[in-house]
Structure formats: structure tokens, C-alpha cells
Amino acid sequence: MSEQMQQQTDPIQHGIKANLDQIIQQLIQVFLVGLAIGMTRTVVPGLAETEFGLAEQAFMSLALFVVVFGLVKASMNLLAGHLSDQFGRRRLLVAGWLLAIPVPFLIFYAQNWWWIIAAMVFLGLNQGLCWSMALNSKLDLAKASQKGLVNGFNEFSGYAAVGLAGWITAWMAEQMGAREALLVFGLVVIALGLFLAIVKVIDTHPWSQLHQQKHQEAQAEKAAENGQAVEPTQKATLGAMMVYATFKQPQLMALNQAGLVEKFIDALVWVFMPVFLISQSQTLVQASAIIAIYGVVWGGSQLITGPLSDKWGRRGLIVGGFWLCAITSFGFVMTDSAWVWSVLAGLMGFGMAMLYPTLGAAVADVSEPRVRASVLGIYRFWRDFGYAAGAFLMGLLAFYSESVVWPFYFVGGMMFLSGLWVWVALSPKAMEAGKK
């Protein structure tokens, strides 16, 4: 606590270098958050049939745990940014870890599939609070020109952990049993995350306030140059910002729908890819290894794509990522070779790396610092609502087609169309019109 008080009394500066210690702490936090969700990626779908008797064709029941997770996490994302402005980033981070504690116990003692659904409620609360606070805190600490770099580091840390955790817990499940593996792994991760959040992390709201002060000064200077008066800024309600970002501002509309649709890929990987691979005679560990390639490439590549978006712009990387994911989604069910699936999983991960941090940075580009946490929360609401919408629609499609193949075609088509919308909305002409 003394370290926290000392840092709060030091002069506040923006920049990764000036705040490297806290940036590292926040990266560790999002890595641990990624481990917490990653442990459910292949082992939990595997439990559906072996432990709870869900038949291979019970696609809606299987998809339900991701639907519930997506709804809870989306709701928390919407509230987290708004709440953090009132209560501070660090308090919500600690609360998020406390809410994760029931997850491994619910899975370990589960009597039926509804226990797994309940575990996903708490996991969604944890992910919505902790991931949001870790990202917002890093954006607070960094310079305005480092948004793409910060998003890249954040998503690298989180999604590399997702991929690694899926493979590690699958290996542990073969050694000690699935329930035991998730209990041990989950408790270690949650305890470490909670300990570091309490002992090492500081609240970054003062850095956010400094960003807003600089923004207002720049606006005043620009207005003075043009001979205009500066109108006093008023804090908009969350409802008003929700309407504005979802239905009125063209660029935010395009970015929000893009966030929603890109989560279709992740829901596909979470729910249907393990089922597909196991149906193709892959073991749980083999399927986990292929899926881990997707997560690790996605995470690692963002160290490149995030900074590149600061230099090259957002539009090309976002659209290219969408269309690469579309191609690989189609290709996945057109092949029957483990090495081809591995290559496609890597390309799919790289496509996600192109679009994922870039979307978040693009949202931050068109948001004022004083409402950035809330606008990012709205974007993250729609993005993670994509888990629920995607899993539900894919579950229906798989149920009525009695095939796990059609969800892959559906996601490929949606990714192509969503990328096309972004290409139009983020064109130079449309961006200029949006500023007027």
C-alpha cells in the first residue's frame, strides 16, 4: 500500500516508459484473466458428453453455456467503464477476482449441466470487470498516440493466455481428471490475480482525468484559433451515450457491429471447433493443441498488428482481418488433415490479431477521453454480446441442420459482410463526414 501511495503522490505522466511498472502489472492481470477463461475452452465442451450425458446432437444445450457467458460479460462491460469512473479501476478489478472464486468449485462439484451454466455467470462477471479494468487502466497510463500499441500488448497477453490455458488444462485433465484439473488450475490463477490486484495494482483514474484536461485544452486552443467560443462539456448519461454510439455515430455503429460479429469466430472456436475436431477422430489433447495455435498466434501477433495500426491506420487491418477469418472459417470444414487444420487455425488467429486490437483502438480514436471508458464499455458490450448472439444462432443452425459444419459457413459469411460494412464506414470520405 505504501508503494501505491508513493506513486499517487509522484507527478502524473503519460506514456508506457513513464509508467512501465504499472503497465507490466496490468499486463500480468490480463494474462491471468485470459488463463481463467482459457481453462474452459476445450475441457468444458469435452465434459458435456463424457460427464453430463449431452448427446453429440444436443447443440443448443452445448451452446447455452457460451450464450449465458456472453450475456453476463456483455452487461458487465457496459457497466464497468461507467462504474469505474465512480468507484475507481482498482476496486472493480478486485471485485472481479472475488466473483471468480465460485467458478472452479461449481465445475468441480457440478451435478448437472446447469451447474456449468452457473459457473459461466460468475466467469462472465469476472471477465467483464477484470479485462475491462486492465485495458482501461493501460489506456489511462499510456499516451494518446500509443492506443494501438497498448491494445496490442493487452490482447497479446490475454489471448496468448487463453490458448495456453486450453492446452495446459487438457493435458492436466488427462493426468488427473477434468474436474480436478480445472479446480487446481482455477484456484491458483484466481488466488494469484486477487493477491496482485490488492498488493501491486494502483488506481489510474487520475491519469484518465489528465487525459481529459489535455483534451479540453487542445479543444480550447483550436477554438481560439478559429475565433469560436468553447462550450462547457457536460457528462452524458450512459443511456444517451448508448443511443449515440449504437444508432447515431456512423463510425461507432460500424465498429460496434464489427465487434459483435468478430466474436462469432471465438464462439465458433469455443463451442463447435472442439466438437468438430473430436468428431474427426482427434483426441482432446490433439484438438486442444490445434485450438491453442489459434489463441497463441492471435495473442502473439497483436504485438505486431497493434503498433502497426498506429502507423498504417485502422481500416485496412480491420477489414483484412475479417476477410482472412472468413476464408479460414470456410476452409476449416473443407479439409480433413490435422496439419491443414493447424495452419488454418494459425491463419484464423492472425486474422483476429489484425482486427481485434485495431477495433478497440479505432473506438478510442473517436471517443473523448472524458467518456472513453464508457464508450469502450459500450463497444465491449456489443462485442461480447456477439458470444451470446453467435452461439445462439450457431446452435439453432446446427440443431436444425443436424450438422456441426453449417456454423462454420455461417460465420464465414457474416465475417465477410461485417468487414465490408467497416470498409465503407471507415473510408476517408465517410470519416470526414462523420466529423462534421
Side-chain angles (χ1 to χ4, degrees):
M1 189 62 69
S2 60
E3 179 186 353
Q4 179 182 345
M5 293 177 63
Q6 176 62 41
Q7 286 189 305
Q8 292 278 22
T9 57
D10 288 340
I12 294 176
Q13 300 180 57
H14 290 134
I16 293 174
K17 185 176 181 181
N19 300 286
L20 186 59
D21 178 67
Q22 276 302 301
I23 292 284
I24 291 172
Q25 289 298 326
Q26 295 291 347
L27 287 172
I28 293 171
Q29 284 292 313
V30 82
F31 182 83
L32 293 168
V33 176
L35 291 179
I37 187 176
M39 71 180 185
T40 69
R41 280 304 175 106
T42 47
V43 176
V44 170
L47 285 172
E49 184 173 358
T50 60
E51 296 277 344
F52 301 108
L54 290 186
E56 187 174 314
Q57 300 300 317
F59 295 121
M60 286 307 299
S61 297
L62 180 61
L64 184 59
F65 83 103
V66 176
V67 172
V68 170
F69 170 83
L71 289 174
V72 174
K73 184 168 187 261
S75 299
M76 288 312 302
N77 284 339
L78 180 62
L79 295 173
H82 199 65
L83 290 173
S84 70
D85 288 336
Q86 294 180 306
F87 301 106
R89 276 59 159 153
R90 180 172 174 270
R91 287 181 180 177
L92 292 190
L93 180 67
V94 172
W97 282 119
L98 290 173
L99 288 166
I101 293 173
V103 174
F105 291 108
L106 284 167
I107 295 174
F108 182 75
Y109 291 108
Q111 301 297 308
N112 54 55
W113 192 243
W114 289 106
W115 288 58
I116 303 299
I117 303 300
M120 291 303 107
V121 171
F122 286 100
L123 184 63
L125 293 170
N126 161 259
Q127 296 287 306
L129 288 175
C130 291
W131 201 303
S132 294
M133 292 308 100
L135 174 58
N136 283 331
S137 294
K138 285 189 284 293
L139 289 172
D140 291 341
L141 295 166
K143 295 178 180 178
S145 60
Q146 296 173 325
K147 291 191 292 289
L149 180 61
V150 164
N151 274 276
F153 274 114
N154 185 80
E155 305 309 317
F156 156 71
S157 184
Y159 282 98
V162 170
L164 288 172
W167 180 81
I168 291 169
T169 52
W171 177 82
M172 290 176 65
E174 289 204 343
Q175 305 302 311
M176 64 175 68
R179 294 176 187 247
E180 292 78 6
L182 294 182
L183 179 67
V184 172
F185 188 86
L187 288 178
V188 170
V189 168
I190 293 164
L192 185 57
L194 181 59
F195 172 78
L196 292 175
I198 293 172
V199 174
K200 292 291 186 180
V201 171
I202 67 171
D203 193 88
T204 60
H205 198 233
W207 281 259
S208 175
Q209 292 174 320
L210 181 59
H211 272 301
Q212 178 60 23
Q213 179 184 332
K214 290 181 177 179
H215 174 78
Q216 290 176 332
E217 291 172 353
Q219 290 288 89
E221 184 177 340
K222 183 178 179 181
E225 290 176 356
N226 296 329
Q228 299 173 338
V230 181
E231 297 183 3
T233 58
Q234 297 180 352
K235 183 70 173 180
T237 65
L238 181 59
M241 286 189 289
M242 184 74 172
V243 171
Y244 173 76
T246 306
F247 301 111
K248 293 185 176 180
Q249 213 282 348
Q251 283 69 52
L252 285 176
M253 287 174 60
L255 294 169
N256 285 330
Q257 70 79 28
L260 184 144
V261 174
E262 62 89 4
K263 277 300 179 187
F264 287 13
I265 282 280
D266 211 32
L268 179 76
V269 171
W270 195 352
V271 183
F272 291 102
M273 194 173 285
V275 176
F276 173 78
L277 290 172
I278 291 171
S279 73
Q280 300 296 308
S281 302
Q282 301 294 299
T283 67
L284 183 63
V285 172
Q286 288 170 333
S288 298
I290 293 170
I291 294 169
I293 292 170
Y294 157 81
V296 171
V297 171
W298 177 5
S301 298
Q302 289 175 101
L303 290 174
I304 301 171
T305 57
L308 278 181
S309 75
D310 288 331
K311 296 182 178 179
W312 292 359
R314 319 294 190 198
R315 184 184 180 218
L317 285 170
I318 292 172
V319 176
F322 268 99
W323 290 349
L324 180 57
C325 285
I327 292 168
T328 54
S329 184
F330 289 132
F332 213 90
V333 288
M334 295 180 179
T335 56
D336 59 359
S337 166
W339 75 266
V340 176
W341 289 326
S342 299
V343 171
L344 288 172
L347 290 173
M348 185 180 286
F350 187 73
M352 288 292 279
M354 291 172 67
L355 66 91
Y356 201 79
T358 317
L359 279 171
V363 172
D365 287 341
V366 294
S367 307
E368 285 191 35
R370 69 188 176 93
V371 296
R372 185 176 59 210
S374 294
V375 172
L376 280 169
I378 293 167
Y379 161 73
R380 287 167 64 81
F381 165 81
W382 287 117
R383 190 194 66 191
D384 287 320
F385 187 75
Y387 274 128
F392 178 75
L393 291 171
M394 283 183 273
L396 282 178
L397 188 59
F399 175 77
Y400 284 110
S401 68
E402 297 185 350
S403 171
V404 76
V405 170
W406 281 101
F408 286 83
Y409 293 133
F410 167 73
V411 171
M414 292 300 296
M415 292 293 284
F416 176 79
L417 292 174
S418 182
L420 185 61
W421 185 345
V422 174
W423 178 258
V424 173
L426 267 62
S427 67
K429 184 177 180 180
M431 291 288 285
E432 188 62 31
K435 294 178 181 179
K436 295 180 180 178

